[in-house]
Amino acid sequence: MRLSGKVALVTGGSRGIGFATAKILSENGATVVITAKDQERLKKSALEIPNAVGITADIRKRNDVKSVVNKTIEKFSRLDILVNNAGIFPKIKLLHEIDEDEWNEVLDVNLTGQFRFTKEAIPHLKKTGGSIINISSDAGLKAYQGFNADAYSASKAALILLTKCWALEYAKYKIRVNCICPGVVDTDMTKPFMKTQKDREFMDSEHPIGRIGQPEEVAKAVMCIELILKQIIL
Ligand SMILES: NC(=O)c1ccc[n+]([C@@H]2O[C@H](COP(=O)([O-])OP(=O)(O)OC[C@H]3O[C@@H](n4cnc5c(N)ncnc54)[C@H](OP(=O)(O)O)[C@@H]3O)[C@@H](O)[C@H]2O)c1
């Protein structure tokens, strides 16, 4: 119960990496708010996590985001951890084939969405000396042959630099800002790319440990940040 008394907000907490993260934070004593767009799935997921509530919100809508943070504070009076996890993956296309709406949609969710939540959370994290964990991607670190998801790569690369900017801007308030850059993880997002045994074997072989990651492994990295890094820094 190492996070007992702490309140965490996990965006995109209804499935995949966000769900696994919310679960591990809750198992370690935190009260967890999960948020996602699909109300039914969110409701079901919140029931599977002890000490969790689901608040439906579309990360593209400023008022939805404000409302999630306000309701969190109304209900639990504090916010300690924000996990900026919600994200989408576009259709694979070369840059000149992407239309501007597709480009904007990815940036709106994966980048401006993280800005919206962080902006609303900062005043509360300042009070608790809290923590922000951004879920970026290895696609934000380097270009991959045949990846062809430029808006995604751009959003994830921007989130890595924003992590560094926010860490500098808010260090004086003892807010820690960190980023995780997973390789391929076994979730709904990557299922369409692993329909055949051959696809799966290719994906596995692309990773040094010989397999893709599991959502629980990324969730454990979040826990490492919360438990180990916190002890080093504060
Ligand atoms: N899977 C991978 O291989 C991988 C690798 C590196 C990084 N990542 C990153 O890890 C994060 C989680 O990925 P995942 O694989 O767990 O994805 P996922 O299984 O597809 O889940 C995505 C989550 O984001 C939410 N979301 C999407 N659009 C939203 C919107 N407009 N408003 C509110 N919530 C929204 C979804 O909720 P709804 O269903 O309600 O829309 C869902 O809860 C993403 O940022 C992704 O880019 C994933």
Side-chain angles (χ1 to χ4, degrees):
M1 293 295 126
R2 289 167 290 187
L3 296 178
S4 160
K6 307 276 184 202
V7 177
L9 172 51
V10 182
T11 71
S14 61
R15 54 193 167 122
I17 293 169
F19 178 77
T21 298
K23 196 155 174 282
I24 204 167
L25 292 171
S26 150
E27 283 163 2
N28 280 275
T31 298
V32 184
V33 176
I34 57 173
T35 175
K37 199 162 77 285
D38 181 326
Q39 189 170 14
E40 279 314 301
R41 182 161 40 208
L42 183 68
K43 219 165 133 185
K44 201 170 149 272
S45 301
L47 288 173
E48 290 173 36
I49 305 172
N51 300 319
V53 295
I55 305 176
T56 314
D58 186 333
I59 203 170
R60 294 169 298 183
K61 296 184 181 155
R62 193 190 318 171
N63 288 339
D64 278 20
V65 172
K66 269 182 195 272
S67 165
V68 171
V69 175
N70 288 342
K71 282 179 183 163
T72 302
I73 298 301
E74 273 164 30
K75 203 167 168 47
F76 302 113
S77 308
R78 61 184 293 141
L79 180 63
D80 300 275
I81 301 165
L82 170 67
V83 184
N84 279 319
N85 164 79
I88 53 171
F89 194 84
K91 289 205 170 74
I92 299 288
K93 286 180 186 177
L94 293 173
L95 179 78
H96 71 279
E97 295 166 339
I98 307 170
D99 74 40
E100 201 166 317
D101 289 344
E102 289 176 285
W103 172 272
N104 287 336
E105 166 84 359
V106 176
L107 272 289
D108 199 8
V109 175
N110 291 7
L111 183 59
T112 314
Q114 324 304 327
F115 155 75
R116 290 184 188 105
F117 262 103
T118 303
K119 179 179 158 66
E120 294 305 322
I122 288 280
H124 306 290
L125 294 172
K126 274 165 78 171
K127 292 179 197 154
T128 54
S131 164
I132 299 169
I133 299 169
N134 294 324
I135 308 298
S136 180
S137 165
D138 62 349
L141 292 168
K142 62 170 277 199
Y144 289 93
Q145 185 72 41
F147 192 64
N148 301 345
D150 291 340
Y152 185 85
S153 300
S155 71
K156 293 301 181 183
L159 192 56
I160 293 168
L161 193 60
L162 276 180
T163 302
K164 297 177 189 180
C165 295
W166 296 343
L168 287 177
E169 283 173 51
Y170 297 103
K172 58 177 167 294
Y173 301 105
K174 297 215 180 301
I175 299 177
R176 291 167 296 118
V177 191
N178 291 282
C179 181
I180 297 173
C181 297
V184 177
V185 182
D186 197 1
T187 67
D188 291 345
M189 184 178 276
T190 52
K191 275 195 178 75
F193 308 103
M194 289 183 285
K195 283 190 180 135
T196 66
Q197 182 66 19
K198 204 168 152 227
D199 292 339
R200 177 63 189 245
E201 281 166 14
F202 171 75
M203 286 289 192
D204 283 341
S205 71
E206 286 285 285
H207 292 74
I209 60 169
R211 62 165 178 82
I212 63 169
Q214 291 301 318
E216 293 72 22
E217 292 172 314
V218 183
K220 282 181 188 165
V222 170
M223 277 306 295
C224 283
I225 289 172
E226 277 324 297
L227 300 181
I228 300 167
L229 275 188
K230 187 169 166 52
Q231 283 174 20
I232 293 167
I233 294 166
L234 296 179

